Amino acid sequence: MHTPRLEYQDYRVNHDARKLARSLGWFSIGLGLAELLMPGKLARAVGMEDNEGLIRLYGLREIGTGVGLLMTDNPEPWVYGRVVGDSLDLATLGVGMQRGDNPVGAAIAATAVAGVTVLDLACARGLGEEHHPVTLYDYSDRSGFPEPPERMRGRAAYGSIDRLPQVHGADAADRETETRH
Amino acid sequence: MRALRWHGKHDIRCDNHVPDPTIEDGRDAIIKVSSCAICGSDLHLYDGFMPGMQHGDIVGHEFMGEVMEVGKDNKKLKVGDRVVVPFTIVCGECDQCRRGNFSVCERTNRNKDIADKVFGHTTAGLYGYTHLTGGYAGGQAEYVRVPYADVGPVVIPDGLTDDQVLFLGDILPTGWQAAAQCDIQPTDTVAIWGAGPVGQFAIRSAVLMGAEQVICIDNVPERLSMARAGGAITINFDEESVIHRLQELTRGKGPEKCIDAVGMESHAARSIDSMYDRAKQALFMETDRPHVLREMIYVCRPAGILSIPGVYGGLLDKIPFGAAMNKGLTFRMGQTHVNRWTDDLLNRIQDGQIDPTFVITHKVSLEEGPDMYKVFREKHDGCIKVVLKP
């Protein structure tokens, strides 16, 4: 009576990766706005005070990537775009750590960027899994009913729990007691 | 004999040379297990969420088989009978049993004192389900001792296969009771969270009991396809808002009846309250993750009924009880009073009204059981229900 399973190959959306991609999109926009609107503060924090223009440029890049991630149906290239951007950020902060006025600040920022890069890579990997077909099972033939569900509707209608058979446990208990003795 | 035994979190093994059970009381019987199953609530043990397990405990509470030996006082069973054993051990004589409240039998929990302290009062003894419920050896084994075997076991008539009747011991009556507790009316919408085995049986039960509309919420496509086959409209919570969709399907009024077939390990991992629950669980400040319960209270139509077959184990946080009270919701819950429903359901199976085999997706040997715990837990390979053949 064990029903054979209907099996097929298909591509499956990775909802976790897509949700992460959206979160990264919002993060990009937030960071980009901060870089665009207060480049001086950020430049001082990482000891690169002469590079406000570059930080603004990076801010525009972040906003562009963020908007792309939020607007697209295919976030994968945009996530890889973020990974490239992370590399640029890390290279710039590396220069700041060697030649800037605040190497500690630059190192802290680089650590944070490295953490986000790990998330970006995990997201890219998750989205990449969508390209590989997986075995799925179709149980749409398993109703458990002898007729279509619409025709089974109400076959056991009681209306109230009080009218269900055997709800009065004493009857069942009496029956069992009689059986036993 | 061989048996699946709990050795710690995520560590269930098929052990050889486990001592065979023996008759300990005149009402006992020894059953040679022909089929047993892994239940969703076994996963709570596997994941280490239920306190009171001990190294070497035999797990499993869904099983059936042939009677090999009966105690001297047992007049109901005879050697050779085929029986399904309900997961609740019931005496049939105490006040609760006589009222039909079998899952809170007052006499069968051998560790009544512990249960009294933890829950305030004892509940029935259960097979393979912690020492809080008596520490009885479970049924994922070659042989099981069945205490009070002159009350609980259901004798199976000839002509029915194991697969057809095995689930009479737990998930079929659990889904049935979940729907029965809803007092279903012909105009009702019944929303069911969780398309696992209990959710699947709750869907079929709600349809049979005449609900106008049955809606099932999950995120596993295979499970949702099975739910649709049984007559449910489905909501994939990964793809759409549960609350908005339920409002849409009920013209803004909300479902009159809500069933929580998920319980303590809700996996709506991306909701804010789920993240909060996981953080509190990690800090040992909360035992259960009640996302479904919160969502049901929020979305249920005022004066509606919440039916909770999903297992909860301990302390729950941030339950919107103000909403529940002011909306006048009725809560009905509990472990299943299996013997209330078994005769009726057996008749329905014999009549062909429902064929419970639809839910079986994997049938393997007992030795493969530990691996199947992982597959079932991860919902891999389209797994919905695993049957083991010792």
Side-chain angles (χ1 to χ4, degrees):
Chain A
M1 299 294 285
H2 183 205
T3 316
R5 299 196 291 171
L6 299 176
E7 188 180 315
Y8 63 101
Q9 297 274 312
D10 203 353
Y11 299 92
R12 185 172 256 184
V13 173
N14 188 334
H15 291 284
D16 289 335
R18 284 179 176 254
K19 182 82 179 176
L20 179 57
R22 287 187 67 78
S23 304
L24 289 168
W26 285 112
F27 173 77
S28 267
I29 290 172
L31 179 62
L33 284 174
E35 288 177 325
L36 202 61
L37 299 175
M38 45 183 191
K41 277 188 182 174
L42 292 174
R44 277 193 295 283
V46 297
M48 300 175 73
E49 290 184 38
D50 297 335
N51 291 289
E52 287 187 25
L54 184 67
I55 291 175
R56 276 204 190 90
L57 206 61
Y58 282 6
L60 283 174
R61 184 202 78 212
E62 289 282 0
I63 291 170
T65 318
V67 170
L69 276 168
L70 294 177
M71 301 282 287
T72 185
D73 286 335
N74 178 19
E76 194 179 1
W78 293 96
V79 172
Y80 276 112
R82 273 196 50 81
V83 173
V84 173
D86 294 336
S87 310
L88 272 177
D89 290 345
L90 285 170
T92 308
L93 288 165
V95 172
M97 283 159 66
Q98 288 185 335
R99 299 184 204 160
D101 303 330
N102 185 1
V104 175
I108 292 170
T111 308
V113 173
V116 177
T117 307
V118 171
L119 281 181
D120 286 331
L121 288 170
C123 183
R125 188 177 166 191
L127 292 169
E129 287 170 6
E130 293 184 352
H131 301 304
H132 305 295
V134 290
T135 303
L136 298 175
Y137 297 93
D138 178 7
Y139 297 136
S140 57
D141 60 334
R142 291 177 172 230
S143 79
F145 292 136
E147 296 174 49
E150 257 325 299
R151 298 185 58 180
M152 298 304 294
R153 195 173 301 281
R155 294 272 180 104
Y158 302 114
S160 163
I161 193 169
D162 297 327
R163 290 200 288 275
L164 284 163
Q166 296 185 56
V167 75
H168 301 295
D171 296 343
D174 284 345
R175 188 191 59 234
E176 299 297 352
T177 310
E178 282 165 21
T179 314
R180 196 163 54 249
H181 297 297
Chain B
M1 69 168 183
R2 291 167 301 130
L4 298 193
R5 297 203 294 178
W6 188 90
H7 291 278
K9 186 177 173 181
H10 298 159
D11 186 6
I12 285 175
R13 302 176 205 161
C14 183
D15 290 332
N16 297 315
H17 312 301
V18 177
D20 286 349
T22 53
I23 297 282
E24 295 176 17
D25 182 272
R27 296 171 69 177
D28 287 357
I30 303 295
I31 309 290
K32 184 179 195 299
V33 178
S34 55
S35 295
C36 54
I38 303 176
C39 180
S41 44
D42 290 328
L43 294 180
H44 304 320
L45 308 177
Y46 183 70
D47 288 335
F49 282 109
M50 296 298 284
M53 287 298 283
Q54 291 179 9
H55 188 81
D57 283 348
I58 300 174
V59 290
H61 55 267
E62 287 187 82
F63 60 97
M64 65 175 294
E66 185 185 339
V67 176
M68 301 302 286
E69 195 179 346
V70 289
K72 62 179 169 50
D73 303 324
N74 190 324
K75 307 291 183 231
K76 175 179 173 181
L77 298 180
K78 60 181 187 302
V79 172
D81 281 347
R82 272 177 80 219
V83 292
V84 171
V85 182
F87 75 99
T88 46
I89 302 169
V90 297
C91 74
E93 293 162 346
C94 71
D95 186 47
Q96 292 289 11
C97 280
R98 294 191 66 76
R99 291 168 189 270
N101 301 324
F102 297 109
S103 78
V104 287
C105 171
E106 294 168 331
R107 293 172 58 195
T108 54
N109 187 346
R110 294 185 296 195
N111 296 325
K112 180 176 181 302
D113 292 347
I114 305 174
D116 278 342
K117 284 194 179 70
V118 175
F119 291 144
H121 295 88
T122 189
T123 55
L126 307 178
Y127 295 96
Y129 213 74
T130 84
H131 288 260
L132 280 175
T133 58
Y136 291 97
Q140 288 167 12
E142 286 184 283
Y143 298 94
V144 190
R145 178 178 84 91
V146 177
Y148 298 93
D150 51 349
V151 185
V154 181
V155 179
I156 301 302
D158 293 337
L160 293 169
T161 66
D162 277 17
D163 292 353
Q164 282 177 291
V165 293
L166 172 62
F167 304 132
L168 276 174
D170 183 351
I171 55 172
L172 174 55
T174 297
W176 188 263
Q177 179 173 299
Q181 287 177 152
C182 286
D183 281 353
I184 291 172
Q185 305 297 313
T187 52
D188 278 350
T189 292
V190 180
I192 298 167
W193 276 255
V198 169
Q200 298 291 345
F201 282 124
I203 291 167
R204 275 74 180 171
S205 304
V207 168
L208 286 171
M209 290 180 199
E212 182 181 54
Q213 185 171 237
V214 179
I215 302 168
C216 183
I217 299 130
D218 204 298
N219 70 337
V220 182
E222 292 91 340
R223 295 180 176 213
L224 291 171
S225 75
M226 190 182 276
R228 281 191 293 275
I233 297 165
T234 58
I235 299 176
N236 184 333
F237 65 77
D238 270 340
E239 293 174 353
E240 52 191 337
S241 159
V242 174
I243 290 168
H244 289 161
R245 186 80 178 114
L246 283 174
Q247 297 288 17
E248 193 179 286
L249 288 165
T250 56
R251 297 174 299 284
K253 292 178 182 298
E256 287 87 352
K257 311 292 161 61
C258 297
I259 295 175
D260 174 359
V262 176
M264 66 197 292
E265 289 189 69
S266 181
H267 285 291
R270 289 179 297 279
S271 70
I272 290 169
D273 67 313
S274 292
M275 286 188 262
Y276 168 85
D277 286 331
R278 283 184 184 275
K280 286 204 77 169
Q281 250 183 353
L283 297 168
F284 300 103
M285 294 168 71
E286 186 180 29
T287 57
D288 303 11
R289 301 196 298 264
H291 168 77
V292 167
L293 207 47
R294 294 188 192 109
E295 199 160 72
M296 290 203 315
I297 291 171
Y298 186 79
V299 80
C300 187
R301 188 174 184 177
I305 294 175
L306 308 187
S307 171
I308 309 171
V311 172
Y312 287 89
L315 303 173
L316 285 61
D317 198 7
K318 299 288 181 291
I319 297 298
F321 216 77
M325 187 273 165
N326 285 287
K327 288 169 78 172
L329 303 181
T330 298
F331 286 68
R332 286 180 175 154
M333 63 193 90
Q335 297 282 7
T336 310
H337 307 301
V338 180
N339 286 87
R340 265 193 205 179
W341 317 108
T342 43
D343 284 3
D344 181 41
L345 289 171
L346 182 59
N347 286 338
R348 292 181 192 280
I349 293 169
Q350 280 184 296
D351 291 349
Q353 196 177 79
I354 186 161
D355 176 8
T357 63
F358 76 89
V359 82
I360 301 171
T361 54
H362 291 70
K363 206 147 94 173
V364 299
S365 66
L366 193 65
E367 285 76 9
E368 294 171 83
D371 291 335
M372 291 314 297
Y373 265 86
K374 291 192 194 91
V375 171
F376 183 38
R377 180 183 184 274
E378 301 301 329
K379 304 179 182 78
H380 284 164
D381 195 38
C383 184
I384 297 182
K385 189 68 182 176
V386 181
V387 171
L388 306 173
K389 305 293 280 187

